Amino acid sequence: MKPTARAVDVRRYRIVRNVVLAWLTAMILAAFLLDIPKINILEHTARNLYFHVPMWFTMMAAVFVSAAHSIQVLRGGSLLSDIRALQAARVGTAFGLMGLVTGIWWSKFTWYVGTDVWWNFDPRQTMAALQLLIYGAYFVLRSAVDEPVRRARVAAVYNIFAAVTVPFLLYVLPRQLQSLHPGADGNPAFSEITAPVMRLVFYPAVIGFIGLFWVLYTQRVRLAAAKLRVTQDPEL
Amino acid sequence: MTLLPQDTLQQAVDSLRTPAGTTAYDSIWPGAAGIPTQAPSALERVMLADDKIFVVLVVVLLIWIGISIFLLRTDRKLDALERAVAERIPEDDDAL
């Protein structure tokens, strides 16, 4: 059985953490300092592309990591796999919440400018909110089972189904419906319209935020592994 | 309430008026002539440029640096906790 102390390679963790912190600092500087084309309605808010969109890319990466560890649980893995699945889902959901909130804020001053509307059940936003509720049910399900090994298995089955809904709710369905969000019917997606200078910041931002996910996720795995060792229960 | 003389009232109303095309919140506010008591400092010249976006940049950087310090401090506590756990609980007790 694997010793808890080696659940995480602490030296690698520190190196990645320091690189991520420096990388994202440079990204923030570039996000504000580089000149971008001025577009009506969007104006300076186009810079939100560097922050809002990577939240969803990061959540997708987190869902993938979480589901992979849930599969490990069902293939006879240790409680460590369950810890990793749970913490990836936790941090991923936090990024998803930040994506939803920043999206509501951005839409208020672009789509809904000059109105009192904050939320209009735009399909893209509604599906994203539904996605977060599906993950909310994952955490509720976990809290309903007391025995750690049984909880790991039940939660793993649900988590794999939850992960399967993600591509449909975030990519497939919103593109079939009329939405104000880019990438919907009659509304060009990122690839066709984004200026080259913005790609220069956007792709590093995606990498940086996924790196930040890895740091926060690994930090929580270390904490949960220590808790498991002390209390025989990894729930965090 | 004391009633002001008509000409004093008129002066007060005039002082609130700004020329056409400006509002009281514009950076260039004729109504506030004389308020900047000195030429803009080097810091002001940088921060007020480009619709004051650099003010936002500094706010975001301060928040980001704050979060980073918080993350590093949490890591140090985690290192200490892991050392304490390793010392007090032997490896073969491990549930993993």
Side-chain angles (χ1 to χ4, degrees), chain A residues 121-140:
Chain A
F121 288 96
D122 186 273
R124 189 59 166 251
Q125 290 184 317
T126 311
M127 302 279 173
L130 184 60
Q131 185 63 70
L132 292 175
L133 290 178
I134 288 174
Y135 275 89
Y138 170 67
F139 305 127
V140 173

Side-chain angles (χ1 to χ4, degrees), chain A residues 26-188:
Chain A
M27 188 286 281
I28 291 170
L29 284 169
F32 277 86
L33 297 179
L34 290 180
D35 266 337
I36 59 167
K38 290 284 183 296
I39 300 168
N40 279 341
I41 301 172
L42 278 182
E43 302 183 30
H44 272 311
T45 74
R47 296 176 196 273
N48 278 350
L49 172 78
Y50 309 140
F51 302 99
H52 165 75
V53 183
M55 294 298 115
W56 295 108
F57 277 64
T58 306
M59 198 191 91
M60 291 289 292
V63 160
F64 185 79
V65 170
S66 181
H69 287 294
S70 278
I71 291 170
Q72 282 301 311
V73 170
L74 294 184
R75 292 177 73 187
S78 63
L79 276 182
L80 192 60
S81 295
D82 183 52
I83 287 175
R84 290 182 176 281
L86 170 62
Q87 299 311 331
R90 278 264 161 82
V91 180
T93 303
F95 274 95
L97 271 174
M98 290 191 279
L100 190 66
V101 170
T102 54
I104 290 169
W105 182 251
W106 193 1
S107 69
K108 175 68 190 135
F109 303 105
T110 49
W111 303 350
Y112 304 136
V113 72
T115 70
D116 284 337
V117 176
W118 282 87
W119 179 266
N120 196 34
F121 288 96
D122 186 273
R124 189 59 166 251
Q125 290 184 317
T126 311
M127 302 279 173
L130 184 60
Q131 185 63 70
L132 292 175
L133 290 178
I134 288 174
Y135 275 89
Y138 170 67
F139 305 127
V140 173
L141 174 68
R142 295 188 64 94
S143 69
V145 185
D146 282 335
E147 204 280 304
V149 174
R150 193 174 149 74
R151 176 171 59 212
R153 281 164 200 258
V154 171
V157 172
Y158 180 88
N159 193 32
I160 290 163
F161 279 107
V164 169
T165 67
V166 172
F168 292 96
L169 286 170
L170 293 189
Y171 285 89
V172 178
L173 288 175
R175 278 160 199 262
Q176 309 291 317
L177 299 163
Q178 288 204 324
S179 166
L180 289 165
H181 196 284
D185 197 17
N187 195 349

Side-chain angles (χ1 to χ4, degrees), chain A residues 1-4 13-14 17 21 24-25 28 32-33 44 47 80 215-216 219 222-223 228-230 232, chain B residues 50 53-54 56-57 60-61 64 68 71-72 74-75 78-79 81-82 85-86 89-91 94-96:
Chain A
M1 292 281 161
K2 287 183 219 161
T4 318
Y13 168 78
R14 283 202 197 103
R17 179 196 66 196
L21 293 181
L24 279 177
T25 308
I28 291 170
F32 277 86
L33 297 179
H44 272 311
R47 296 176 196 273
L80 192 60
V215 170
L216 294 172
Q219 191 186 47
R222 285 174 68 184
L223 193 54
L228 174 65
R229 202 154 161 192
V230 174
Q232 313 299 314
Chain B
D50 211 354
I53 196 167
F54 301 112
V56 186
L57 170 60
V60 171
L61 279 178
W64 173 241
S68 303
L71 183 69
L72 294 170
T74 308
D75 276 347
L78 196 48
D79 288 337
L81 177 70
E82 280 178 348
V85 169
I89 300 174
E91 294 273 328
D94 212 306
L96 292 173

Side-chain angles (χ1 to χ4, degrees), chain B residues 2 4 6 9 16 19 23 28 30 33 38 45-46 62 64 84 93 95:
Chain B
T2 324
L4 290 169
Q6 193 61 42
L9 193 63
L16 291 172
T23 73
I28 308 156
Q38 54 189 28
R45 279 200 300 276
V46 172
L62 286 171
W64 173 241
D93 257 16

